[in-house]
Amino acid sequence: GFYRTSLSAAVRYEDYPGIGRLATPKLGFVWSPNADVDFKLSWGRSFKSPTLYQRLNPVTVYLFPGNLYGERPGAPAGQTIL
């Protein structure tokens, strides 16, 4: 039942300025019961670094008066909605 087995492992380490350090692993396994059939299994994690637009786009937050969307019973006077 074992013609060939293979196990592989890898780690990729990245250091992004302003974002931080990150290690992403990857594992692989191959089992061959005979010369004609291979069963392959792999697992890995990925990371996508943010684009320049995502890094440099300012976060915008609006504060609205609470009564803009109607009065709610039991809400304090002068409430705001973020």
Side-chain angles (χ1 to χ4, degrees), residues 21-42:
R21 297 177 179 98
L22 181 69
T24 52
K26 184 174 184 179
L27 300 172
F29 179 75
V30 178
W31 171 61
S32 300
N34 57 44
D36 298 325
V37 178
D38 289 341
F39 293 99
K40 299 178 181 182
L41 176 72
S42 66

PDB file of all heavy atoms in Angstrom, residues 21-42:
ATOM      1  N   ARG A  21       5.334  42.192  11.176  1.00  0.00           N
ATOM      2  CA  ARG A  21       5.969  40.959  10.709  1.00  0.00           C
ATOM      3  C   ARG A  21       4.915  39.869  10.584  1.00  0.00           C
ATOM      4  O   ARG A  21       3.965  39.821  11.357  1.00  0.00           O
ATOM      5  CB  ARG A  21       7.035  40.537  11.702  1.00  0.00           C
ATOM      6  CG  ARG A  21       8.147  41.545  11.819  1.00  0.00           C
ATOM      7  CD  ARG A  21       9.151  41.107  12.880  1.00  0.00           C
ATOM      8  NE  ARG A  21      10.218  42.055  12.974  1.00  0.00           N
ATOM      9  CZ  ARG A  21      10.273  43.019  13.886  1.00  0.00           C
ATOM     10  NH1 ARG A  21       9.311  43.146  14.772  1.00  0.00           N
ATOM     11  NH2 ARG A  21      11.285  43.852  13.907  1.00  0.00           N
ATOM     12  N   LEU A  22       5.143  38.956   9.644  1.00  0.00           N
ATOM     13  CA  LEU A  22       4.168  37.898   9.401  1.00  0.00           C
ATOM     14  C   LEU A  22       4.873  36.645   8.902  1.00  0.00           C
ATOM     15  O   LEU A  22       5.739  36.718   8.034  1.00  0.00           O
ATOM     16  CB  LEU A  22       3.155  38.362   8.354  1.00  0.00           C
ATOM     17  CG  LEU A  22       2.056  37.393   8.008  1.00  0.00           C
ATOM     18  CD1 LEU A  22       1.097  37.244   9.181  1.00  0.00           C
ATOM     19  CD2 LEU A  22       1.305  37.891   6.806  1.00  0.00           C
ATOM     20  N   ALA A  23       4.507  35.501   9.468  1.00  0.00           N
ATOM     21  CA  ALA A  23       5.014  34.206   9.001  1.00  0.00           C
ATOM     22  C   ALA A  23       3.826  33.410   8.472  1.00  0.00           C
ATOM     23  O   ALA A  23       2.824  33.247   9.163  1.00  0.00           O
ATOM     24  CB  ALA A  23       5.694  33.461  10.138  1.00  0.00           C
ATOM     25  N   THR A  24       3.916  32.923   7.234  1.00  0.00           N
ATOM     26  CA  THR A  24       2.830  32.154   6.624  1.00  0.00           C
ATOM     27  C   THR A  24       3.326  30.740   6.344  1.00  0.00           C
ATOM     28  O   THR A  24       4.277  30.551   5.572  1.00  0.00           O
ATOM     29  CB  THR A  24       2.336  32.814   5.324  1.00  0.00           C
ATOM     30  OG1 THR A  24       3.439  33.052   4.474  1.00  0.00           O
ATOM     31  CG2 THR A  24       1.660  34.131   5.610  1.00  0.00           C
ATOM     32  N   PRO A  25       2.697  29.715   6.960  1.00  0.00           N
ATOM     33  CA  PRO A  25       3.141  28.335   6.765  1.00  0.00           C
ATOM     34  C   PRO A  25       2.454  27.667   5.581  1.00  0.00           C
ATOM     35  O   PRO A  25       1.393  28.090   5.129  1.00  0.00           O
ATOM     36  CB  PRO A  25       2.706  27.654   8.069  1.00  0.00           C
ATOM     37  CG  PRO A  25       1.485  28.407   8.466  1.00  0.00           C
ATOM     38  CD  PRO A  25       1.716  29.838   8.036  1.00  0.00           C
ATOM     39  N   LYS A  26       3.075  26.597   5.087  1.00  0.00           N
ATOM     40  CA  LYS A  26       2.494  25.757   4.041  1.00  0.00           C
ATOM     41  C   LYS A  26       2.972  24.323   4.259  1.00  0.00           C
ATOM     42  O   LYS A  26       4.149  24.089   4.492  1.00  0.00           O
ATOM     43  CB  LYS A  26       2.913  26.244   2.655  1.00  0.00           C
ATOM     44  CG  LYS A  26       2.249  25.472   1.537  1.00  0.00           C
ATOM     45  CD  LYS A  26       2.560  26.052   0.179  1.00  0.00           C
ATOM     46  CE  LYS A  26       1.801  25.301  -0.902  1.00  0.00           C
ATOM     47  NZ  LYS A  26       2.064  25.841  -2.227  1.00  0.00           N
ATOM     48  N   LEU A  27       2.028  23.368   4.191  1.00  0.00           N
ATOM     49  CA  LEU A  27       2.333  21.957   4.366  1.00  0.00           C
ATOM     50  C   LEU A  27       1.826  21.170   3.170  1.00  0.00           C
ATOM     51  O   LEU A  27       0.795  21.502   2.591  1.00  0.00           O
ATOM     52  CB  LEU A  27       1.657  21.418   5.632  1.00  0.00           C
ATOM     53  CG  LEU A  27       2.044  22.071   6.953  1.00  0.00           C
ATOM     54  CD1 LEU A  27       1.155  21.558   8.070  1.00  0.00           C
ATOM     55  CD2 LEU A  27       3.497  21.805   7.261  1.00  0.00           C
ATOM     56  N   GLY A  28       2.521  20.111   2.822  1.00  0.00           N
ATOM     57  CA  GLY A  28       2.106  19.265   1.715  1.00  0.00           C
ATOM     58  C   GLY A  28       2.393  17.801   2.019  1.00  0.00           C
ATOM     59  O   GLY A  28       3.339  17.471   2.728  1.00  0.00           O
ATOM     60  N   PHE A  29       1.545  16.914   1.491  1.00  0.00           N
ATOM     61  CA  PHE A  29       1.706  15.482   1.699  1.00  0.00           C
ATOM     62  C   PHE A  29       1.306  14.756   0.418  1.00  0.00           C
ATOM     63  O   PHE A  29       0.289  15.088  -0.197  1.00  0.00           O
ATOM     64  CB  PHE A  29       0.821  15.011   2.868  1.00  0.00           C
ATOM     65  CG  PHE A  29       0.912  13.542   3.139  1.00  0.00           C
ATOM     66  CD1 PHE A  29       2.024  13.000   3.761  1.00  0.00           C
ATOM     67  CD2 PHE A  29      -0.109  12.688   2.773  1.00  0.00           C
ATOM     68  CE1 PHE A  29       2.109  11.636   4.011  1.00  0.00           C
ATOM     69  CE2 PHE A  29      -0.043  11.331   3.011  1.00  0.00           C
ATOM     70  CZ  PHE A  29       1.071  10.806   3.635  1.00  0.00           C
ATOM     71  N   VAL A  30       2.120  13.789  -0.002  1.00  0.00           N
ATOM     72  CA  VAL A  30       1.829  12.975  -1.189  1.00  0.00           C
ATOM     73  C   VAL A  30       1.924  11.511  -0.782  1.00  0.00           C
ATOM     74  O   VAL A  30       2.904  11.087  -0.173  1.00  0.00           O
ATOM     75  CB  VAL A  30       2.813  13.270  -2.344  1.00  0.00           C
ATOM     76  CG1 VAL A  30       2.522  12.374  -3.533  1.00  0.00           C
ATOM     77  CG2 VAL A  30       2.772  14.722  -2.743  1.00  0.00           C
ATOM     78  N   TRP A  31       0.885  10.752  -1.136  1.00  0.00           N
ATOM     79  CA  TRP A  31       0.873   9.303  -0.890  1.00  0.00           C
ATOM     80  C   TRP A  31       0.556   8.598  -2.196  1.00  0.00           C
ATOM     81  O   TRP A  31      -0.424   8.933  -2.863  1.00  0.00           O
ATOM     82  CB  TRP A  31      -0.155   8.950   0.171  1.00  0.00           C
ATOM     83  CG  TRP A  31      -0.364   7.473   0.327  1.00  0.00           C
ATOM     84  CD1 TRP A  31       0.572   6.554   0.688  1.00  0.00           C
ATOM     85  CD2 TRP A  31      -1.578   6.760   0.131  1.00  0.00           C
ATOM     86  NE1 TRP A  31       0.018   5.300   0.726  1.00  0.00           N
ATOM     87  CE2 TRP A  31      -1.326   5.399   0.393  1.00  0.00           C
ATOM     88  CE3 TRP A  31      -2.855   7.134  -0.242  1.00  0.00           C
ATOM     89  CZ2 TRP A  31      -2.287   4.426   0.290  1.00  0.00           C
ATOM     90  CZ3 TRP A  31      -3.821   6.152  -0.329  1.00  0.00           C
ATOM     91  CH2 TRP A  31      -3.543   4.820  -0.071  1.00  0.00           C
ATOM     92  N   SER A  32       1.390   7.641  -2.552  1.00  0.00           N
ATOM     93  CA  SER A  32       1.195   6.863  -3.776  1.00  0.00           C
ATOM     94  C   SER A  32       1.080   5.390  -3.402  1.00  0.00           C
ATOM     95  O   SER A  32       2.060   4.783  -2.961  1.00  0.00           O
ATOM     96  CB  SER A  32       2.368   7.040  -4.733  1.00  0.00           C
ATOM     97  OG  SER A  32       2.505   8.392  -5.090  1.00  0.00           O
ATOM     98  N   PRO A  33      -0.112   4.790  -3.579  1.00  0.00           N
ATOM     99  CA  PRO A  33      -0.226   3.360  -3.295  1.00  0.00           C
ATOM    100  C   PRO A  33       0.446   2.495  -4.362  1.00  0.00           C
ATOM    101  O   PRO A  33       0.845   1.376  -4.082  1.00  0.00           O
ATOM    102  CB  PRO A  33      -1.737   3.111  -3.259  1.00  0.00           C
ATOM    103  CG  PRO A  33      -2.335   4.236  -4.029  1.00  0.00           C
ATOM    104  CD  PRO A  33      -1.398   5.388  -3.910  1.00  0.00           C
ATOM    105  N   ASN A  34       0.579   3.039  -5.586  1.00  0.00           N
ATOM    106  CA  ASN A  34       1.304   2.339  -6.649  1.00  0.00           C
ATOM    107  C   ASN A  34       1.886   3.389  -7.597  1.00  0.00           C
ATOM    108  O   ASN A  34       1.729   4.585  -7.385  1.00  0.00           O
ATOM    109  CB  ASN A  34       0.405   1.326  -7.389  1.00  0.00           C
ATOM    110  CG  ASN A  34      -0.823   1.974  -7.990  1.00  0.00           C
ATOM    111  OD1 ASN A  34      -0.729   3.036  -8.588  1.00  0.00           O
ATOM    112  ND2 ASN A  34      -1.978   1.336  -7.818  1.00  0.00           N
ATOM    113  N   ALA A  35       2.536   2.940  -8.654  1.00  0.00           N
ATOM    114  CA  ALA A  35       3.226   3.863  -9.557  1.00  0.00           C
ATOM    115  C   ALA A  35       2.272   4.703 -10.396  1.00  0.00           C
ATOM    116  O   ALA A  35       2.670   5.727 -10.954  1.00  0.00           O
ATOM    117  CB  ALA A  35       4.162   3.089 -10.473  1.00  0.00           C
ATOM    118  N   ASP A  36       1.002   4.321 -10.496  1.00  0.00           N
ATOM    119  CA  ASP A  36       0.055   5.018 -11.373  1.00  0.00           C
ATOM    120  C   ASP A  36      -0.876   5.995 -10.658  1.00  0.00           C
ATOM    121  O   ASP A  36      -1.556   6.774 -11.318  1.00  0.00           O
ATOM    122  CB  ASP A  36      -0.804   3.987 -12.124  1.00  0.00           C
ATOM    123  CG  ASP A  36       0.045   3.089 -13.009  1.00  0.00           C
ATOM    124  OD1 ASP A  36       1.042   3.588 -13.558  1.00  0.00           O
ATOM    125  OD2 ASP A  36      -0.288   1.897 -13.121  1.00  0.00           O
ATOM    126  N   VAL A  37      -0.955   5.952  -9.337  1.00  0.00           N
ATOM    127  CA  VAL A  37      -1.927   6.764  -8.594  1.00  0.00           C
ATOM    128  C   VAL A  37      -1.211   7.578  -7.528  1.00  0.00           C
ATOM    129  O   VAL A  37      -0.396   7.039  -6.771  1.00  0.00           O
ATOM    130  CB  VAL A  37      -3.003   5.866  -7.932  1.00  0.00           C
ATOM    131  CG1 VAL A  37      -3.972   6.699  -7.119  1.00  0.00           C
ATOM    132  CG2 VAL A  37      -3.739   5.048  -8.971  1.00  0.00           C
ATOM    133  N   ASP A  38      -1.509   8.889  -7.486  1.00  0.00           N
ATOM    134  CA  ASP A  38      -0.992   9.784  -6.447  1.00  0.00           C
ATOM    135  C   ASP A  38      -2.152  10.473  -5.752  1.00  0.00           C
ATOM    136  O   ASP A  38      -3.088  10.937  -6.399  1.00  0.00           O
ATOM    137  CB  ASP A  38      -0.100  10.876  -7.040  1.00  0.00           C
ATOM    138  CG  ASP A  38       1.226  10.353  -7.535  1.00  0.00           C
ATOM    139  OD1 ASP A  38       1.623   9.255  -7.111  1.00  0.00           O
ATOM    140  OD2 ASP A  38       1.866  11.063  -8.333  1.00  0.00           O
ATOM    141  N   PHE A  39      -2.104  10.548  -4.434  1.00  0.00           N
ATOM    142  CA  PHE A  39      -3.041  11.345  -3.649  1.00  0.00           C
ATOM    143  C   PHE A  39      -2.246  12.485  -3.033  1.00  0.00           C
ATOM    144  O   PHE A  39      -1.261  12.252  -2.330  1.00  0.00           O
ATOM    145  CB  PHE A  39      -3.704  10.503  -2.554  1.00  0.00           C
ATOM    146  CG  PHE A  39      -4.602   9.433  -3.086  1.00  0.00           C
ATOM    147  CD1 PHE A  39      -4.150   8.119  -3.191  1.00  0.00           C
ATOM    148  CD2 PHE A  39      -5.887   9.735  -3.491  1.00  0.00           C
ATOM    149  CE1 PHE A  39      -4.973   7.125  -3.684  1.00  0.00           C
ATOM    150  CE2 PHE A  39      -6.724   8.748  -3.987  1.00  0.00           C
ATOM    151  CZ  PHE A  39      -6.263   7.438  -4.079  1.00  0.00           C
ATOM    152  N   LYS A  40      -2.686  13.709  -3.309  1.00  0.00           N
ATOM    153  CA  LYS A  40      -1.945  14.889  -2.851  1.00  0.00           C
ATOM    154  C   LYS A  40      -2.826  15.730  -1.945  1.00  0.00           C
ATOM    155  O   LYS A  40      -4.010  15.930  -2.215  1.00  0.00           O
ATOM    156  CB  LYS A  40      -1.488  15.721  -4.034  1.00  0.00           C
ATOM    157  CG  LYS A  40      -0.558  14.973  -4.957  1.00  0.00           C
ATOM    158  CD  LYS A  40      -0.164  15.800  -6.147  1.00  0.00           C
ATOM    159  CE  LYS A  40       0.742  15.010  -7.071  1.00  0.00           C
ATOM    160  NZ  LYS A  40       1.172  15.799  -8.219  1.00  0.00           N
ATOM    161  N   LEU A  41      -2.232  16.233  -0.893  1.00  0.00           N
ATOM    162  CA  LEU A  41      -2.923  17.078   0.071  1.00  0.00           C
ATOM    163  C   LEU A  41      -2.014  18.251   0.395  1.00  0.00           C
ATOM    164  O   LEU A  41      -0.819  18.056   0.641  1.00  0.00           O
ATOM    165  CB  LEU A  41      -3.235  16.276   1.336  1.00  0.00           C
ATOM    166  CG  LEU A  41      -3.864  17.015   2.490  1.00  0.00           C
ATOM    167  CD1 LEU A  41      -5.319  17.357   2.151  1.00  0.00           C
ATOM    168  CD2 LEU A  41      -3.813  16.171   3.744  1.00  0.00           C
ATOM    169  N   SER A  42      -2.563  19.442   0.373  1.00  0.00           N
ATOM    170  CA  SER A  42      -1.755  20.604   0.746  1.00  0.00           C
ATOM    171  C   SER A  42      -2.608  21.579   1.548  1.00  0.00           C
ATOM    172  O   SER A  42      -3.830  21.639   1.407  1.00  0.00           O
ATOM    173  CB  SER A  42      -1.176  21.297  -0.485  1.00  0.00           C
ATOM    174  OG  SER A  42      -2.205  21.853  -1.256  1.00  0.00           O
TER     175      SER A  42
END
